Amino acid sequence: MRSSGITKAITNLTQAHAKLDVSPSSDANFFTEWKEPLPTLSDAEKAKLELLKRRYLYYADSGAITEGTINLILLSPLLETLGFFDQPYQVRSEKYIRFEIEDGDTQLDGLIDALVIRDSLWLIVIESKRYGFSVRQAIPQTLAYMIGANTSPVFALITTGEDYLFIKCDRGGVHDSAHYALSDKFTLSTAKGNQLYTVAQILKQLVSV
């Protein structure tokens, strides 16, 4: 059996649909978890999210930000603020994934940037990408990680630090094709409040599903 890295084997969404046997859901009720009503945030959480937005924009205004910097200045503090480093959650970084795809002769391998686990259940995959990288470009790779999960449904968050996009993927039955749906895109580059609030609320919502 041939082994291939996920990022090499699947480079666009068309390939992801064909090789992973996954397609967008046409059901309007398929992914409602990211919508209202969402959990409330405490004043302390809001204050920290305001700080994280200001911090990100400070670094962004100074030039391109690497993936490692985004993880350090924004993602880790966000997870800490929401309590995801403590019981009953555990955060695992660079989780190794290996699974076979539909052709029966190819095995895909990859590393997830960060994975939030609760009772061995994969709830949120966080795929951070460099500043200036479109979150949509990471959808094919993230879907591959989600298909490789040992549970269903699974939720994902793709972020550049500035933009945020949630995904839900459900493999259905053993012989069923997988389906997925996307949330709206949230961004820190807007004057309409701090959309990191909504991102944090959705994360809280998803870990309670």
Side-chain angles (χ1 to χ4, degrees):
M1 180 173 292
R2 295 181 293 113
S3 180
S4 178
I6 288 174
T7 54
K8 292 183 179 179
I10 299 175
T11 60
N12 57 61
L13 202 49
T14 299
Q15 287 181 341
H17 290 168
K19 294 185 177 183
L20 301 174
D21 191 24
V22 62
S23 59
S25 174
S26 58
D27 182 358
N29 295 316
F30 179 81
F31 187 17
T32 58
E33 291 88 348
W34 68 274
K35 300 179 180 179
E36 298 285 356
L38 294 171
T40 59
L41 298 173
S42 67
D43 289 342
E45 288 171 332
K46 291 178 181 178
K48 187 57 180 287
L49 295 175
E50 290 293 341
L51 171 63
L52 293 181
K53 179 179 179 179
R54 291 195 303 271
R55 178 187 293 167
Y56 173 79
L57 294 176
Y58 166 73
Y59 276 84
D61 290 346
S62 300
I65 306 176
T66 65
E67 182 176 320
T69 301
I70 291 171
N71 286 337
L72 186 63
I73 69 171
L74 201 152
L75 288 183
S76 289
L78 175 60
L79 296 181
E80 174 71 36
T81 299
L82 298 180
F84 290 164
F85 287 129
D86 303 312
Q87 292 182 343
Y89 312 107
Q90 286 189 348
V91 175
R92 304 288 177 82
S93 63
E94 296 190 339
K95 176 71 175 178
Y96 180 68
I97 293 290
R98 170 176 284 180
F99 64 99
E100 296 178 18
I101 58 177
E102 288 301 305
D103 64 9
D105 191 42
T106 303
Q107 190 169 255
L108 296 186
D109 301 271
L111 289 173
I112 300 174
D113 286 351
L115 179 67
V116 176
I117 301 175
R118 180 178 182 181
D119 297 330
S120 300
L121 176 64
W122 299 19
L123 291 176
I124 303 164
V125 179
I126 298 176
E127 179 66 20
S128 62
K129 291 297 179 184
R130 293 189 308 274
Y131 172 78
F133 188 99
S134 168
V135 288
R136 288 196 61 87
Q137 290 177 259
I139 292 174
Q141 178 185 352
T142 304
L143 282 174
Y145 292 146
M146 299 172 83
I147 294 294
N150 293 322
T151 188
S152 190
V154 63
F155 300 95
L157 168 62
I158 304 171
T159 181
T160 62
E162 182 169 322
D163 298 329
Y164 298 79
L165 182 69
F166 289 91
I167 308 177
K168 178 181 180 179
C169 183
D170 194 333
R171 292 181 299 176
V174 176
H175 301 292
D176 296 336
S177 298
H179 292 88
Y180 73 94
L182 309 175
S183 70
D184 287 346
K185 185 176 76 172
F186 303 96
T187 183
L188 299 187
S189 59
T190 176
K192 298 180 180 179
N194 186 351
Q195 293 194 355
L196 203 54
Y197 283 19
T198 307
V199 171
Q201 289 176 293
I202 294 172
L203 287 171
K204 281 190 168 187
Q205 181 93 304
L206 295 185
V207 296
S208 66
V209 172

